[in-house]
Amino acid sequence: MANYRFSTINKLLRSKYKDEGEDDDDVNKGSDFVSVVSDVSSDNESDYDVSPDFESDSESERQDVNPKSNGDDEVEKLLAECKGLYTVRTEVSTPRKPLVGVDFDPAWDKKIAGGNNARQDDFLAEEVASCSDFESEREDDKTTRLNPVVACISKMTLSPDITLEYPDNYHMDRTRAITWSQEKRADELRDTTLRFMEKMCTDIYTLVDKIDKKKVLVFNQSDEALVTFSVKVNRDEKEEGYRYEARIKNKSNWVSRVAHCEGNEIKFHATEIESFYIIKIPQKEREIIKPEGNILSFKHSKKVSLDMPLQTVDTPQDIDLQLSSVDKRGMVKRHSLFPEKFKLQKISQRLFVEHDIDKFNKAFSVKLDLESFRDSTDACTLKPVAILWDGEEPTIKPKTECSLSYEKNRVVMTMKNLPNKSGLSVGLVAPGVVDKDEVKLAYADVFLCNITIHIKIVNPQEAMLYINCVMIENLPTFLKQNQSLDLIGTSEDFYLKNFHRIRSHLSGNSERKKSRKQNKLDCFIVFSNRAKENCLSFTILKQTRLGGSPTTVLELSLDSGPKKKIHRQEFDPWMLIGKKTGFPDKNHAIRLSKGLTFDDFKSPRPF
């Protein structure tokens, strides 16, 4: 009988909730009756009339429940007869999302409080207190986010030009940065080259401990932004329109990292580093050629612009522009020291383009300002030339083969096409033939060098030989600094790129001495324009065996790029024993030597 009563009341209340818009989910359908409260008051309303037969437990004696307008009285009657039993709806509690950044409203306490008045007051007091704590914690968290704790940074000077900043939770021993030796360059730069338009900003540095043993610094990846290397550079290295990269050697290979210039320093981040050097590359600027015509120019330079007339293209076309600067400082110095060596008097910056345009419908003009290397007294004899670049190889065309106009310090060139991945520059040249390498020299793609050979007699059976590769703009200063040595000979001028290798070979009445620390004899000079010196030095011993050559022969050849012989020097160092070192014009070694310079391989025989 009790079960029937419970079921009837459940149906009534469920129907009421349904009519009032309450959710009638599966969980609520499974609600049970729980018993016993001493005082029950119900404000529920119902549209149903319940007329059960409470004296019969049989199914057939039960009456149906029919909705009536006076259902409220019947519900109260049923509840009274059930002696204080009432229903409780059971709902599944879903996890709440964390209230991140939400302030807790104390007024909610009144909405969620329950029980008698005394307990309600206690509940409110507890909730208000906890709410206050919650707000305080959230404010602290917000402050922490806005003002993160800055890690304490330590600073170490690795060399006069290099500093390292790192978190002070790393306990580092004394570390120094030193430049690579010629031996290390020869061993580890066999296949290393720079790509077109990449320029060296620094020498190659390696990290060593206090006893000059190679050292690899390793930091956590999470601290990469806090580990900063700063390298001071010359003023001429800071150029607008260039981006910087640090080439870093870690435990296994070389990697590239973005660097940036701040003041007179270039900075980069690294978490694993043994050696590094810094390069710069012209930035790419993307422009759009419009069908209605427009002028393309660079944000950082007003010396180059392209004027595209109406309908040059049918639809808007993207084009990437790069601008290589002129090595004006180097060219001015070369012209002042050796004016007779150069025909190129002025030259513009080099414009390089990349695009997907099949054809330009109309001719367009390119305006280029010129950089001057020296004041020419016979300016009227200078002729404008166009320099077209197919990759890194230039083609020089005179004015008769292209449309050029020159006024003041600007050349305007009219073009019908500018192929993808090609370049353009213009120049003024003196009468005569201009060498392609001279044009490359103006952009520091190559360097004009000279080999010098010096010797120092140690004793009647031993001498030190010094072979230096010197850029010609530094040659007069270099010779003056080495007057304490006997000058054996100098080569003719030749062009080199960064990391080109020069092989040396010694024969005749001298032989090389191998030190105990050497596993093999060093026989290479690896050139770098940023190195303090490009020198190969070694000890030679007098060869005393019968039938030997009466002279010593030193042969030098280019071992990378186009293979060719550079220089051959024949001399007898042992004739200098007991003679004082003199100036080059009075040096006995000069009269004892005979030098030859080779341009190409003329014979299959070795020299």
Side-chain angles (χ1 to χ4, degrees):
M1 184 66 181
N3 293 337
Y4 172 71
R5 291 172 182 169
F6 298 159
S7 176
T8 303
I9 294 174
N10 191 20
K11 290 179 181 179
L12 286 170
L13 295 177
R14 219 185 267 170
S15 300
K16 173 175 175 53
Y17 294 147
K18 194 170 185 179
D19 292 345
E20 290 179 356
E22 294 276 339
D23 292 338
D24 191 18
D25 53 17
D26 294 337
V27 175
N28 294 333
K29 289 178 182 179
S31 300
D32 296 327
F33 288 93
V34 293
S35 63
V36 190
V37 290
S38 59
D39 184 16
V40 178
S41 62
S42 174
D43 295 331
N44 294 333
E45 295 181 358
S46 175
D47 295 332
Y48 294 90
D49 181 23
V50 183
S51 302
D53 182 4
F54 295 103
E55 297 179 356
S56 176
D57 293 332
S58 64
E59 194 72 39
S60 61
E61 292 177 351
R62 297 176 186 171
Q63 297 181 4
D64 295 336
V65 179
N66 299 317
K68 290 186 178 181
S69 61
N70 59 348
D72 293 343
D73 297 336
E74 297 296 336
V75 171
E76 292 179 1
K77 182 179 178 181
L78 276 172
L79 291 173
E81 292 182 2
C82 289
K83 298 179 181 180
L85 298 178
Y86 71 102
T87 61
V88 176
R89 299 180 66 218
T90 305
E91 296 184 8
V92 177
S93 60
T94 57
R96 296 176 182 268
K97 295 182 179 180
L99 301 177
V100 177
V102 178
D103 293 333
F104 194 85
D105 187 1
W108 293 349
D109 295 330
K110 298 179 181 179
K111 301 178 183 180
I112 63 176
N116 53 35
N117 293 336
R119 293 201 50 173
Q120 181 172 341
D121 294 341
D122 295 341
F123 178 77
L124 284 172
E126 293 175 1
E127 285 297 318
V128 168
S130 63
C131 175
S132 178
D133 294 340
F134 178 80
E135 289 178 335
S136 176
E137 291 174 2
R138 297 313 307 167
E139 289 177 0
D140 292 342
D141 291 346
K142 187 175 181 180
T143 303
T144 301
R145 290 198 307 272
L146 295 177
N147 301 298
V149 177
V150 178
C152 294
I153 300 298
S154 296
K155 189 172 184 178
M156 179 185 295
T157 301
L158 303 179
S159 78
D161 295 330
I162 304 172
T163 58
L164 167 63
E165 297 178 2
Y166 60 95
D168 63 356
N169 58 313
Y170 295 94
H171 302 289
M172 292 179 54
D173 297 331
R174 177 63 182 157
T175 305
R176 298 189 303 121
I178 61 174
T179 56
W180 274 22
S181 64
Q182 192 59 241
E183 180 182 2
K184 188 173 179 66
R185 282 193 239 166
D187 289 341
E188 301 193 25
L189 294 179
R190 294 179 182 275
D191 302 317
T192 303
T193 58
L194 294 181
R195 293 188 289 269
F196 181 48
M197 292 193 289
E198 291 183 346
K199 304 292 185 291
M200 294 275 290
C201 294
T202 67
D203 199 352
I204 308 176
Y205 292 93
T206 190
L207 302 179
V208 296
D209 57 17
K210 59 184 178 181
I211 59 173
D212 288 353
K213 185 179 179 181
K214 182 179 73 175
K215 186 174 184 178
V216 181
L217 297 183
V218 180
F219 302 89
N220 292 334
Q221 290 289 340
S222 58
D223 293 329
E224 181 171 5
L226 303 176
V227 180
T228 306
F229 289 82
S230 302
V231 185
K232 293 181 182 179
V233 294
N234 296 329
R235 183 174 56 185
D236 59 326
E237 294 301 335
K238 299 181 296 180
E239 296 185 74
E240 292 185 357
Y242 277 82
R243 62 183 178 88
Y244 298 88
E245 277 188 12
R247 299 281 167 85
I248 300 170
K249 184 178 186 295
N250 52 32
K251 292 180 180 179
S252 55
N253 56 1
W254 287 91
V255 296
S256 294
R257 291 288 182 270
V258 175
H260 58 279
C261 187
E262 293 184 8
N264 64 340
E265 293 182 333
I266 297 177
K267 299 176 179 286
F268 64 92
H269 305 289
T271 55
E272 184 179 329
I273 181 169
E274 176 208 304
S275 302
F276 72 91
Y277 62 94
I278 296 174
I279 65 168
K280 62 181 180 181
I281 310 166
Q283 289 180 346
K284 287 185 180 180
E285 293 189 16
R286 174 155 292 187
E287 297 289 339
I288 299 176
I289 304 176
K290 300 177 182 180
E292 59 270 24
N294 60 320
I295 295 177
L296 310 180
S297 60
F298 290 85
K299 298 175 182 178
H300 64 276
S301 176
K302 303 300 181 184
K303 296 182 178 181
V304 177
S305 62
L306 293 84
D307 190 357
M308 299 292 179
L310 178 68
Q311 295 300 320
T312 303
V313 292
D314 298 325
T315 59
Q317 297 287 342
D318 292 336
I319 183 170
D320 290 332
L321 308 175
Q322 280 180 291
L323 206 58
S324 293
S325 60
V326 178
D327 182 20
K328 185 175 180 178
R329 181 171 174 269
M331 290 299 292
V332 168
K333 189 174 181 180
R334 295 176 194 118
H335 274 261
S336 64
L337 294 172
F338 310 101
E340 72 284 354
K341 292 180 180 288
F342 304 101
K343 298 292 185 183
L344 187 64
Q345 306 290 312
K346 298 182 180 182
I347 198 169
S348 71
Q349 293 175 300
R350 176 172 53 195
L351 172 66
F352 200 81
V353 301
E354 290 186 33
H355 58 76
D356 296 323
I357 304 172
D358 295 330
K359 181 182 178 182
F360 292 89
N361 298 330
K362 291 184 177 181
F364 55 91
S365 61
V366 183
K367 300 177 182 179
L368 305 107
D369 290 355
L370 298 173
E371 301 276 1
S372 180
F373 305 141
R374 63 177 175 182
D375 296 330
S376 179
T377 55
D378 53 351
C380 57
T381 62
L382 301 180
K383 298 180 180 179
V385 294
I387 306 166
L388 305 179
W389 296 82
D390 182 10
E392 56 185 292
E393 289 300 320
T395 300
I396 302 172
K397 292 190 174 183
K399 183 179 179 179
T400 55
E401 297 182 19
C402 53
S403 177
L404 290 176
S405 62
Y406 169 65
E407 58 181 32
K408 293 185 179 180
N409 215 34
R410 171 175 290 185
V411 175
V412 179
M413 183 174 180
T414 303
M415 306 185 67
K416 295 181 179 180
N417 188 31
L418 191 57
N420 180 35
K421 295 185 178 180
S422 66
L424 169 69
S425 57
V426 293
L428 288 182
V429 299
V433 179
V434 181
D435 190 358
K436 291 183 179 180
D437 286 325
E438 184 179 342
V439 175
K440 294 181 183 180
L441 179 66
Y443 300 106
D445 294 338
V446 296
F447 303 92
L448 188 58
C449 300
N450 194 289
I451 291 289
T452 65
I453 305 165
H454 287 83
I455 195 170
K456 180 180 180 180
I457 302 298
V458 178
N459 58 54
Q461 300 293 323
E462 186 176 330
M464 281 293 298
L465 193 64
Y466 301 89
I467 308 169
N468 283 275
C469 180
V470 187
M471 293 186 290
I472 63 163
E473 59 265 33
N474 301 328
L475 186 59
T477 303
F478 176 82
L479 292 175
K480 188 175 181 180
Q481 291 173 347
N482 288 273
Q483 288 181 355
S484 60
L485 303 176
D486 284 312
L487 178 63
I488 297 297
T490 60
S491 72
E492 292 184 0
D493 300 336
F494 59 96
Y495 290 91
L496 283 180
K497 291 183 179 181
N498 271 311
F499 304 151
H500 268 184
R501 300 160 66 88
I502 299 173
R503 180 190 293 272
S504 67
H505 178 71
L506 186 74
S507 61
N509 67 350
S510 301
E511 62 179 358
R512 291 189 56 177
K513 178 182 178 181
K514 185 176 179 181
S515 67
R516 295 180 180 178
K517 295 182 179 180
Q518 285 180 310
N519 295 323
K520 58 183 179 181
L521 292 174
D522 303 327
C523 59
F524 291 101
I525 297 175
V526 180
F527 173 78
S528 170
N529 73 306
R530 292 299 173 190
K532 186 176 180 180
E533 61 178 12
N534 294 282
C535 177
L536 176 63
S537 61
F538 48 84
T539 302
I540 59 174
L541 302 175
K542 186 175 183 179
Q543 182 62 259
T544 57
R545 67 174 181 267
L546 295 176
S549 172
T551 59
T552 297
V553 178
L554 178 64
E555 300 167 332
L556 301 167
S557 61
L558 192 60
D559 198 59
S560 52
K563 304 291 191 298
K564 65 178 183 180
K565 301 174 184 179
I566 297 175
H567 186 69
R568 171 190 170 100
Q569 192 75 42
E570 185 176 345
F571 61 100
D572 187 359
W574 314 114
M575 294 290 291
L576 297 173
I577 297 173
K579 299 184 182 297
K580 294 182 179 180
T581 302
F583 291 97
D585 57 340
K586 299 179 181 179
N587 199 329
H588 300 280
I590 294 292
R591 296 196 294 271
L592 295 172
S593 64
K594 181 175 66 174
L596 297 172
T597 298
F598 299 85
D599 293 329
D600 298 294
F601 282 111
K602 302 293 184 180
S603 169
R605 296 180 301 166
F607 295 94

